[in-house]
Amino acid sequence: MKWTASKVFQCVTLFLLASALEIGGCYGFWRAVRLEKNKLWAAFGAASLVAYGGVFLLMPMDAFARIMAAYGGVFIVSSYAFGAAVEGFKLDAGDYVGASIALAGVGVCLFWPRE
């Protein structure tokens, strides 16, 4: 696959959508089981996780393992952002350094020259 600006935009958009759906889905279960015990949160979580699984089918790349490996770094950064925005989680220097390393890894996974 040859990278173009539109493919990069598509991947970034889909990675962000996937992370929102995955984190939202897991948080739905977290709220249902650990916080509120409301089954509607679990239903939301299940629907969100099903949608999350489908997002990767829209990726312009063919290597599932490479997609998931790169997504892992996006998930790390998104998890920190969610924690800070929703739960008031205070990030420290180690969180920022770790997230930066993860994003650098995403770039290497995706854009390393391949034959």
Side-chain angles (χ1 to χ4, degrees), residues 30-41:
W30 179 271
R31 290 204 57 153
V33 175
R34 303 236 3 220
L35 299 178
E36 295 183 17
K37 313 283 191 226
N38 184 331
K39 292 180 183 173
L40 288 177
W41 279 106

Side-chain angles (χ1 to χ4, degrees), residues 44-62:
F44 163 78
S48 184
L49 289 171
V50 168
Y52 153 77
V55 167
F56 295 100
L57 300 173
L58 304 173
M59 284 286 182
M61 304 171 345
D62 292 330

Side-chain angles (χ1 to χ4, degrees), residues 4-93:
T4 63
S6 66
K7 285 184 181 177
V8 170
F9 179 77
Q10 182 181 10
C11 282
V12 168
T13 301
L14 290 171
F15 279 148
L16 293 175
L17 175 60
S19 68
L21 290 168
E22 184 180 14
I23 293 167
C26 291
Y27 188 66
F29 281 104
W30 179 271
R31 290 204 57 153
V33 175
R34 303 236 3 220
L35 299 178
E36 295 183 17
K37 313 283 191 226
N38 184 331
K39 292 180 183 173
L40 288 177
W41 279 106
F44 163 78
S48 184
L49 289 171
V50 168
Y52 153 77
V55 167
F56 295 100
L57 300 173
L58 304 173
M59 284 286 182
M61 304 171 345
D62 292 330
F64 179 76
R66 189 167 292 129
I67 292 168
M68 293 308 292
Y71 168 68
V74 174
F75 179 77
I76 290 168
V77 173
S78 298
S79 296
Y80 280 138
F82 176 86
V86 174
E87 297 186 308
F89 182 78
K90 301 292 183 207
L91 299 169
D92 63 22

